[in-house]
Amino acid sequence: MGVGKSTVGQLLAERLGVGYRDTDEDIVAAEGRTVADIFVAEGEPVFREIEKRAVRAALAEHEGVLALGGGAILDAETRGLLAGRRVVYLSMDVEEAVRRTGLNAARPLLAINPRKQWRELMEARRHLYEEVATAVVATDGRTPEEVTQAALDALELKEA
């Protein structure tokens, strides 16, 4: 959350000369409401099922850069679908998250005690991110352009 996946994903797509797609945007378009609204109205399990379908569809239909929501990797089937693909895990520590988002944005999983919840989420998810990642790119203290270049370098990709 707040790591810059949308910004970096768009820059990466531009530099590679491919399309960009974000599964969170797909969900909002399909459901006609925000991710936060789905969480509040339906709960996390319902959202995760919607997310799982959105990721499956995007992976089947899209050839370019794809940004996934931070919790997409919680699903074992999704992790399996990511196997063998180029996956970049954009990492960030809690202090950088605070600086970037203030941890007060519309983030349903961080509604109470955001710093503590962010740390707990990362402790629970980090190994899953690393499991699917082809490359890990730290974003702390870097501009989106620097992160994009680091991702290109880590994946050994050339610009279009």
Side-chain angles (χ1 to χ4, degrees):
M1 288 181 261
V3 75
K5 68 183 180 302
S6 298
T7 302
V8 171
Q10 290 170 359
L11 287 170
L12 193 56
E14 282 177 26
R15 291 183 59 182
L16 292 171
V18 298
Y20 169 79
R21 185 167 173 176
D22 184 319
T23 57
D24 282 349
E25 291 175 6
D26 290 352
I27 291 167
V28 170
E31 296 293 317
R33 53 192 171 150
T34 68
V35 169
D37 287 345
I38 298 167
F39 260 86
V40 170
E42 310 293 335
E44 185 175 1
V46 170
F47 173 76
R48 294 295 174 210
E49 192 56 39
I50 294 167
E51 180 179 54
K52 178 180 172 177
R53 290 191 307 266
V55 171
R56 188 181 320 119
L59 287 169
E61 299 165 2
H62 184 70
E63 295 289 324
V65 174
L66 180 63
L68 305 183
I73 50 79
L74 295 172
D75 180 70
E77 183 181 328
T78 297
R79 292 193 307 275
L81 291 172
L82 293 171
R85 297 176 184 263
R86 291 183 178 131
V87 177
V88 178
Y89 161 36
L90 300 178
S91 70
M92 173 175 66
D93 70 20
V94 70
E95 296 311 317
E96 184 79 358
V98 169
R99 188 182 71 72
R100 290 185 189 190
T101 68
L103 291 182
N104 62 3
R107 310 233 183 239
L109 292 178
L110 300 178
I112 301 167
N113 196 347
R115 284 177 191 241
K116 179 178 182 252
Q117 288 182 304
W118 190 91
R119 282 188 181 101
E120 288 173 359
L121 281 173
M122 286 310 300
E123 287 171 15
R125 294 177 179 182
R126 183 174 288 112
H127 73 284
L128 298 174
Y129 293 143
E130 291 170 349
E131 175 186 320
V132 300
T134 307
V136 178
V137 176
T139 64
D140 302 78
R142 289 175 150 174
T143 67
E145 292 77 13
E146 291 168 333
V147 173
T148 301
Q149 186 59 55
L152 285 168
D153 293 346
L155 295 174
E156 299 178 351
L157 295 173
K158 303 291 182 221
E159 293 183 50

Short mmCIF file of all heavy atoms in Angstrom, two decimals, residues 76-126:
data_model
loop_
_atom_site.label_atom_id
_atom_site.label_comp_id
_atom_site.label_asym_id
_atom_site.label_seq_id
_atom_site.Cartn_x
_atom_site.Cartn_y
_atom_site.Cartn_z
N ALA A 76 -3.43 -18.68 -2.84
CA ALA A 76 -2.46 -19.65 -3.37
C ALA A 76 -2.61 -19.84 -4.88
O ALA A 76 -1.61 -19.98 -5.59
CB ALA A 76 -2.61 -20.98 -2.64
N GLU A 77 -3.84 -19.83 -5.38
CA GLU A 77 -4.05 -19.98 -6.81
C GLU A 77 -3.43 -18.81 -7.58
O GLU A 77 -2.80 -19.00 -8.63
CB GLU A 77 -5.54 -20.07 -7.12
CG GLU A 77 -5.84 -20.30 -8.59
CD GLU A 77 -7.34 -20.37 -8.88
OE1 GLU A 77 -8.10 -20.82 -8.02
OE2 GLU A 77 -7.72 -19.94 -9.99
N THR A 78 -3.59 -17.61 -7.05
CA THR A 78 -3.00 -16.44 -7.68
C THR A 78 -1.48 -16.56 -7.69
O THR A 78 -0.83 -16.29 -8.71
CB THR A 78 -3.44 -15.15 -6.97
OG1 THR A 78 -4.86 -15.02 -7.11
CG2 THR A 78 -2.76 -13.92 -7.55
N ARG A 79 -0.91 -16.97 -6.58
CA ARG A 79 0.55 -17.15 -6.54
C ARG A 79 0.98 -18.17 -7.59
O ARG A 79 1.99 -18.00 -8.26
CB ARG A 79 1.01 -17.55 -5.14
CG ARG A 79 0.85 -16.45 -4.12
CD ARG A 79 1.58 -16.72 -2.81
NE ARG A 79 1.30 -17.99 -2.19
CZ ARG A 79 0.27 -18.24 -1.37
NH1 ARG A 79 -0.61 -17.28 -1.11
NH2 ARG A 79 0.10 -19.44 -0.84
N GLY A 80 0.20 -19.23 -7.76
CA GLY A 80 0.50 -20.23 -8.78
C GLY A 80 0.45 -19.65 -10.18
O GLY A 80 1.28 -19.98 -11.03
N LEU A 81 -0.53 -18.78 -10.42
CA LEU A 81 -0.64 -18.14 -11.74
C LEU A 81 0.53 -17.21 -12.03
O LEU A 81 0.88 -16.97 -13.19
CB LEU A 81 -1.95 -17.36 -11.84
CG LEU A 81 -3.23 -18.19 -11.88
CD1 LEU A 81 -4.45 -17.28 -11.78
CD2 LEU A 81 -3.29 -19.04 -13.14
N LEU A 82 1.14 -16.68 -10.98
CA LEU A 82 2.28 -15.77 -11.15
C LEU A 82 3.60 -16.52 -11.36
O LEU A 82 4.57 -15.93 -11.83
CB LEU A 82 2.40 -14.84 -9.94
CG LEU A 82 1.26 -13.84 -9.77
CD1 LEU A 82 1.37 -13.14 -8.43
CD2 LEU A 82 1.23 -12.85 -10.91
N ALA A 83 3.62 -17.80 -11.04
CA ALA A 83 4.84 -18.59 -11.19
C ALA A 83 5.28 -18.58 -12.65
O ALA A 83 4.47 -18.72 -13.56
CB ALA A 83 4.59 -20.02 -10.72
N GLY A 84 6.57 -18.38 -12.84
CA GLY A 84 7.12 -18.37 -14.19
C GLY A 84 6.97 -17.05 -14.92
O GLY A 84 7.38 -16.92 -16.07
N ARG A 85 6.37 -16.06 -14.27
CA ARG A 85 6.22 -14.73 -14.87
C ARG A 85 7.22 -13.78 -14.21
O ARG A 85 7.68 -14.02 -13.11
CB ARG A 85 4.80 -14.19 -14.67
CG ARG A 85 3.74 -15.03 -15.35
CD ARG A 85 2.36 -14.49 -15.02
NE ARG A 85 1.30 -15.28 -15.56
CZ ARG A 85 0.67 -15.02 -16.70
NH1 ARG A 85 1.00 -13.97 -17.41
NH2 ARG A 85 -0.29 -15.81 -17.12
N ARG A 86 7.50 -12.68 -14.90
CA ARG A 86 8.35 -11.65 -14.31
C ARG A 86 7.50 -10.86 -13.32
O ARG A 86 6.54 -10.20 -13.70
CB ARG A 86 8.90 -10.72 -15.38
CG ARG A 86 9.90 -11.39 -16.27
CD ARG A 86 10.46 -10.37 -17.25
NE ARG A 86 11.46 -10.99 -18.07
CZ ARG A 86 11.49 -10.91 -19.39
NH1 ARG A 86 10.59 -10.21 -20.04
NH2 ARG A 86 12.44 -11.50 -20.06
N VAL A 87 7.88 -10.94 -12.05
CA VAL A 87 7.14 -10.27 -10.99
C VAL A 87 8.12 -9.41 -10.19
O VAL A 87 9.15 -9.92 -9.72
CB VAL A 87 6.45 -11.28 -10.05
CG1 VAL A 87 5.75 -10.56 -8.90
CG2 VAL A 87 5.48 -12.15 -10.83
N VAL A 88 7.79 -8.14 -10.03
CA VAL A 88 8.61 -7.23 -9.23
C VAL A 88 7.87 -6.93 -7.94
O VAL A 88 6.72 -6.49 -7.97
CB VAL A 88 8.91 -5.91 -9.99
CG1 VAL A 88 9.72 -4.97 -9.11
CG2 VAL A 88 9.65 -6.20 -11.28
N TYR A 89 8.53 -7.17 -6.83
CA TYR A 89 8.01 -6.81 -5.51
C TYR A 89 8.65 -5.47 -5.14
O TYR A 89 9.85 -5.38 -4.98
CB TYR A 89 8.34 -7.90 -4.51
CG TYR A 89 8.28 -7.52 -3.04
CD1 TYR A 89 7.35 -6.63 -2.54
CD2 TYR A 89 9.17 -8.11 -2.14
CE1 TYR A 89 7.31 -6.30 -1.20
CE2 TYR A 89 9.12 -7.80 -0.79
CZ TYR A 89 8.20 -6.89 -0.32
OH TYR A 89 8.16 -6.58 1.00
N LEU A 90 7.82 -4.43 -5.07
CA LEU A 90 8.30 -3.12 -4.66
C LEU A 90 8.21 -3.07 -3.13
O LEU A 90 7.12 -3.08 -2.58
CB LEU A 90 7.45 -2.01 -5.29
CG LEU A 90 7.43 -1.95 -6.81
CD1 LEU A 90 6.52 -0.83 -7.29
CD2 LEU A 90 8.83 -1.80 -7.37
N SER A 91 9.35 -3.01 -2.48
CA SER A 91 9.37 -3.05 -1.02
C SER A 91 9.53 -1.65 -0.43
O SER A 91 10.05 -0.74 -1.09
CB SER A 91 10.50 -3.96 -0.52
OG SER A 91 11.76 -3.37 -0.78
N MET A 92 9.06 -1.52 0.81
CA MET A 92 9.10 -0.22 1.49
C MET A 92 8.98 -0.47 2.99
O MET A 92 8.25 -1.36 3.42
CB MET A 92 7.92 0.61 0.97
CG MET A 92 7.67 1.91 1.66
SD MET A 92 6.33 2.84 0.86
CE MET A 92 4.93 1.80 1.16
N ASP A 93 9.68 0.34 3.79
CA ASP A 93 9.53 0.18 5.24
C ASP A 93 8.42 1.10 5.75
O ASP A 93 7.90 1.94 5.03
CB ASP A 93 10.85 0.40 5.98
CG ASP A 93 11.33 1.84 5.99
OD1 ASP A 93 10.53 2.77 5.75
OD2 ASP A 93 12.54 2.04 6.24
N VAL A 94 8.03 0.90 7.00
CA VAL A 94 6.88 1.60 7.55
C VAL A 94 7.08 3.12 7.58
O VAL A 94 6.15 3.87 7.35
CB VAL A 94 6.48 1.06 8.95
CG1 VAL A 94 7.51 1.43 10.01
CG2 VAL A 94 5.11 1.57 9.35
N GLU A 95 8.29 3.57 7.84
CA GLU A 95 8.53 5.02 7.89
C GLU A 95 8.31 5.66 6.52
O GLU A 95 7.79 6.75 6.42
CB GLU A 95 9.93 5.33 8.43
CG GLU A 95 10.13 4.88 9.88
CD GLU A 95 9.01 5.34 10.82
OE1 GLU A 95 8.56 6.50 10.72
OE2 GLU A 95 8.57 4.51 11.65
N GLU A 96 8.71 4.95 5.48
CA GLU A 96 8.47 5.45 4.12
C GLU A 96 6.97 5.44 3.83
O GLU A 96 6.45 6.37 3.20
CB GLU A 96 9.22 4.60 3.10
CG GLU A 96 9.11 5.09 1.68
CD GLU A 96 10.01 6.27 1.33
OE1 GLU A 96 10.73 6.78 2.21
OE2 GLU A 96 9.96 6.70 0.17
N ALA A 97 6.27 4.42 4.29
CA ALA A 97 4.82 4.35 4.09
C ALA A 97 4.12 5.53 4.76
O ALA A 97 3.21 6.13 4.20
CB ALA A 97 4.27 3.03 4.62
N VAL A 98 4.57 5.86 5.96
CA VAL A 98 4.01 7.00 6.69
C VAL A 98 4.27 8.28 5.90
O VAL A 98 3.38 9.11 5.71
CB VAL A 98 4.60 7.11 8.10
CG1 VAL A 98 4.24 8.43 8.76
CG2 VAL A 98 4.13 5.94 8.96
N ARG A 99 5.50 8.43 5.42
CA ARG A 99 5.85 9.64 4.66
C ARG A 99 5.00 9.77 3.40
O ARG A 99 4.53 10.85 3.07
CB ARG A 99 7.34 9.60 4.29
CG ARG A 99 7.85 10.89 3.67
CD ARG A 99 9.31 10.80 3.27
NE ARG A 99 9.52 9.93 2.13
CZ ARG A 99 9.19 10.22 0.87
NH1 ARG A 99 8.60 11.34 0.58
NH2 ARG A 99 9.45 9.37 -0.11
N ARG A 100 4.80 8.66 2.70
CA ARG A 100 4.08 8.71 1.43
C ARG A 100 2.58 8.85 1.57
O ARG A 100 1.94 9.54 0.80
CB ARG A 100 4.38 7.45 0.60
CG ARG A 100 5.78 7.42 0.08
CD ARG A 100 5.96 6.24 -0.81
NE ARG A 100 7.37 6.10 -1.14
CZ ARG A 100 7.82 5.28 -2.06
NH1 ARG A 100 6.98 4.53 -2.74
NH2 ARG A 100 9.10 5.21 -2.29
N THR A 101 2.00 8.11 2.51
CA THR A 101 0.54 8.06 2.59
C THR A 101 -0.01 8.69 3.85
O THR A 101 -1.21 8.94 3.94
CB THR A 101 0.02 6.61 2.55
OG1 THR A 101 0.39 5.95 3.75
CG2 THR A 101 0.54 5.87 1.34
N GLY A 102 0.84 8.89 4.84
CA GLY A 102 0.36 9.34 6.12
C GLY A 102 -0.41 8.25 6.84
O GLY A 102 -0.85 8.41 7.96
N LEU A 103 -0.57 7.11 6.19
CA LEU A 103 -1.33 5.97 6.71
C LEU A 103 -2.71 6.40 7.19
O LEU A 103 -3.26 5.83 8.11
CB LEU A 103 -0.57 5.25 7.82
CG LEU A 103 0.68 4.49 7.38
CD1 LEU A 103 1.31 3.78 8.56
CD2 LEU A 103 0.40 3.52 6.26
N ASN A 104 -3.25 7.43 6.53
CA ASN A 104 -4.59 7.87 6.90
C ASN A 104 -5.51 7.92 5.69
O ASN A 104 -6.61 8.42 5.76
CB ASN A 104 -4.55 9.23 7.60
CG ASN A 104 -3.99 10.32 6.70
OD1 ASN A 104 -3.69 10.09 5.54
ND2 ASN A 104 -3.85 11.51 7.25
N ALA A 105 -5.03 7.40 4.58
CA ALA A 105 -5.85 7.38 3.37
C ALA A 105 -6.94 6.32 3.51
O ALA A 105 -7.00 5.62 4.51
CB ALA A 105 -4.94 7.08 2.16
N ALA A 106 -7.77 6.21 2.50
CA ALA A 106 -8.86 5.24 2.54
C ALA A 106 -8.32 3.82 2.37
O ALA A 106 -8.39 3.23 1.30
CB ALA A 106 -9.88 5.55 1.45
N ARG A 107 -7.76 3.29 3.41
CA ARG A 107 -7.16 1.97 3.41
C ARG A 107 -7.85 1.14 4.48
O ARG A 107 -7.51 1.23 5.66
CB ARG A 107 -5.66 2.05 3.68
CG ARG A 107 -4.97 3.09 2.79
CD ARG A 107 -3.82 2.50 2.06
NE ARG A 107 -3.13 3.51 1.28
CZ ARG A 107 -2.99 3.43 -0.02
NH1 ARG A 107 -3.51 2.43 -0.68
NH2 ARG A 107 -2.35 4.35 -0.68
N PRO A 108 -8.82 0.33 4.11
CA PRO A 108 -9.65 -0.35 5.10
C PRO A 108 -8.89 -1.24 6.06
O PRO A 108 -9.30 -1.40 7.20
CB PRO A 108 -10.64 -1.16 4.26
CG PRO A 108 -10.17 -1.10 2.87
CD PRO A 108 -9.22 0.05 2.74
N LEU A 109 -7.79 -1.82 5.62
CA LEU A 109 -7.04 -2.70 6.52
C LEU A 109 -6.17 -1.94 7.51
O LEU A 109 -5.55 -2.53 8.37
CB LEU A 109 -6.17 -3.67 5.71
CG LEU A 109 -6.95 -4.71 4.91
CD1 LEU A 109 -6.00 -5.59 4.11
CD2 LEU A 109 -7.82 -5.57 5.82
N LEU A 110 -6.14 -0.61 7.38
CA LEU A 110 -5.31 0.20 8.27
C LEU A 110 -6.13 1.19 9.08
O LEU A 110 -5.62 2.19 9.55
CB LEU A 110 -4.25 0.97 7.45
CG LEU A 110 -3.29 0.13 6.63
CD1 LEU A 110 -2.35 1.01 5.83
CD2 LEU A 110 -2.51 -0.84 7.50
N ALA A 111 -7.40 0.91 9.27
CA ALA A 111 -8.31 1.86 9.89
C ALA A 111 -7.98 2.17 11.35
O ALA A 111 -8.16 3.28 11.80
CB ALA A 111 -9.75 1.37 9.77
N ILE A 112 -7.50 1.19 12.09
CA ILE A 112 -7.20 1.38 13.51
C ILE A 112 -5.72 1.09 13.73
O ILE A 112 -5.23 0.04 13.32
CB ILE A 112 -8.06 0.44 14.38
CG1 ILE A 112 -9.54 0.72 14.12
CG2 ILE A 112 -7.72 0.59 15.85
CD1 ILE A 112 -10.46 -0.32 14.68
N ASN A 113 -5.02 2.00 14.39
CA ASN A 113 -3.57 1.87 14.66
C ASN A 113 -2.81 1.51 13.38
O ASN A 113 -2.26 0.42 13.25
CB ASN A 113 -3.33 0.82 15.75
CG ASN A 113 -1.92 0.94 16.33
OD1 ASN A 113 -1.06 1.61 15.77
ND2 ASN A 113 -1.69 0.26 17.43
N PRO A 114 -2.78 2.44 12.43
CA PRO A 114 -2.22 2.15 11.11
C PRO A 114 -0.78 1.64 11.10
O PRO A 114 -0.48 0.71 10.35
CB PRO A 114 -2.31 3.49 10.37
CG PRO A 114 -3.26 4.30 11.13
CD PRO A 114 -3.30 3.79 12.53
N ARG A 115 0.10 2.21 11.92
CA ARG A 115 1.50 1.74 11.90
C ARG A 115 1.60 0.28 12.32
O ARG A 115 2.29 -0.51 11.69
CB ARG A 115 2.37 2.60 12.82
CG ARG A 115 2.70 3.95 12.24
CD ARG A 115 3.51 4.75 13.25
NE ARG A 115 3.61 6.10 12.82
CZ ARG A 115 4.75 6.72 12.55
NH1 ARG A 115 5.88 6.10 12.70
NH2 ARG A 115 4.75 7.97 12.14
N LYS A 116 0.92 -0.05 13.41
CA LYS A 116 0.95 -1.43 13.91
C LYS A 116 0.34 -2.37 12.88
O LYS A 116 0.90 -3.44 12.59
CB LYS A 116 0.19 -1.53 15.23
CG LYS A 116 0.15 -2.93 15.80
CD LYS A 116 -0.58 -2.95 17.14
CE LYS A 116 -0.57 -4.34 17.72
NZ LYS A 116 -1.86 -4.99 17.66
N GLN A 117 -0.79 -2.00 12.30
CA GLN A 117 -1.45 -2.86 11.32
C GLN A 117 -0.61 -3.01 10.05
O GLN A 117 -0.53 -4.09 9.48
CB GLN A 117 -2.85 -2.33 11.00
CG GLN A 117 -3.80 -2.57 12.17
CD GLN A 117 -5.20 -2.10 11.86
OE1 GLN A 117 -5.41 -0.96 11.51
NE2 GLN A 117 -6.15 -3.00 11.99
N TRP A 118 0.05 -1.92 9.63
CA TRP A 118 0.91 -1.99 8.44
C TRP A 118 2.03 -2.99 8.70
O TRP A 118 2.32 -3.84 7.86
CB TRP A 118 1.47 -0.61 8.10
CG TRP A 118 2.16 -0.57 6.77
CD1 TRP A 118 1.60 -0.28 5.57
CD2 TRP A 118 3.53 -0.86 6.50
NE1 TRP A 118 2.55 -0.37 4.56
CE2 TRP A 118 3.73 -0.71 5.12
CE3 TRP A 118 4.62 -1.22 7.30
CZ2 TRP A 118 4.97 -0.92 4.52
CZ3 TRP A 118 5.85 -1.42 6.70
CH2 TRP A 118 6.02 -1.28 5.32
N ARG A 119 2.67 -2.88 9.86
CA ARG A 119 3.75 -3.81 10.20
C ARG A 119 3.27 -5.25 10.21
O ARG A 119 3.93 -6.15 9.71
CB ARG A 119 4.36 -3.45 11.55
CG ARG A 119 5.31 -2.28 11.50
CD ARG A 119 6.03 -2.10 12.84
NE ARG A 119 6.92 -0.98 12.78
CZ ARG A 119 6.65 0.22 13.31
NH1 ARG A 119 5.53 0.43 13.95
NH2 ARG A 119 7.53 1.20 13.20
N GLU A 120 2.10 -5.48 10.81
CA GLU A 120 1.55 -6.83 10.88
C GLU A 120 1.21 -7.37 9.49
O GLU A 120 1.48 -8.54 9.20
CB GLU A 120 0.31 -6.86 11.79
CG GLU A 120 0.66 -6.71 13.25
CD GLU A 120 -0.56 -6.57 14.16
OE1 GLU A 120 -1.71 -6.56 13.65
OE2 GLU A 120 -0.35 -6.45 15.38
N LEU A 121 0.65 -6.52 8.65
CA LEU A 121 0.36 -6.94 7.28
C LEU A 121 1.64 -7.33 6.55
O LEU A 121 1.69 -8.37 5.88
CB LEU A 121 -0.34 -5.82 6.49
CG LEU A 121 -1.82 -5.61 6.73
CD1 LEU A 121 -2.30 -4.36 6.00
CD2 LEU A 121 -2.61 -6.83 6.30
N MET A 122 2.67 -6.52 6.70
CA MET A 122 3.93 -6.81 6.01
C MET A 122 4.58 -8.08 6.56
O MET A 122 5.13 -8.87 5.80
CB MET A 122 4.88 -5.62 6.10
CG MET A 122 4.47 -4.47 5.20
SD MET A 122 4.12 -4.99 3.50
CE MET A 122 5.68 -5.68 3.01
N GLU A 123 4.51 -8.28 7.86
CA GLU A 123 5.07 -9.51 8.44
C GLU A 123 4.34 -10.73 7.89
O GLU A 123 4.95 -11.77 7.63
CB GLU A 123 4.99 -9.47 9.96
CG GLU A 123 5.99 -8.52 10.58
CD GLU A 123 5.78 -8.31 12.07
OE1 GLU A 123 5.04 -9.09 12.70
OE2 GLU A 123 6.37 -7.36 12.61
N ALA A 124 3.03 -10.62 7.71
CA ALA A 124 2.24 -11.74 7.21
C ALA A 124 2.42 -11.95 5.71
O ALA A 124 2.28 -13.07 5.21
CB ALA A 124 0.76 -11.50 7.52
N ARG A 125 2.72 -10.90 4.98
CA ARG A 125 2.75 -10.98 3.52
C ARG A 125 4.14 -11.03 2.89
O ARG A 125 4.30 -11.54 1.79
CB ARG A 125 2.02 -9.76 2.91
CG ARG A 125 0.55 -9.74 3.21
CD ARG A 125 -0.07 -8.48 2.66
NE ARG A 125 -1.50 -8.44 2.91
CZ ARG A 125 -2.28 -7.47 2.50
NH1 ARG A 125 -1.79 -6.45 1.80
NH2 ARG A 125 -3.57 -7.50 2.78
N ARG A 126 5.14 -10.47 3.56
CA ARG A 126 6.46 -10.31 2.94
C ARG A 126 6.96 -11.63 2.32
O ARG A 126 7.44 -11.65 1.19
CB ARG A 126 7.47 -9.77 3.94
CG ARG A 126 8.85 -9.52 3.32
CD ARG A 126 9.80 -8.83 4.28
NE ARG A 126 9.41 -7.44 4.47
CZ ARG A 126 8.92 -6.93 5.60
NH1 ARG A 126 8.78 -7.69 6.67
NH2 ARG A 126 8.60 -5.67 5.68
#
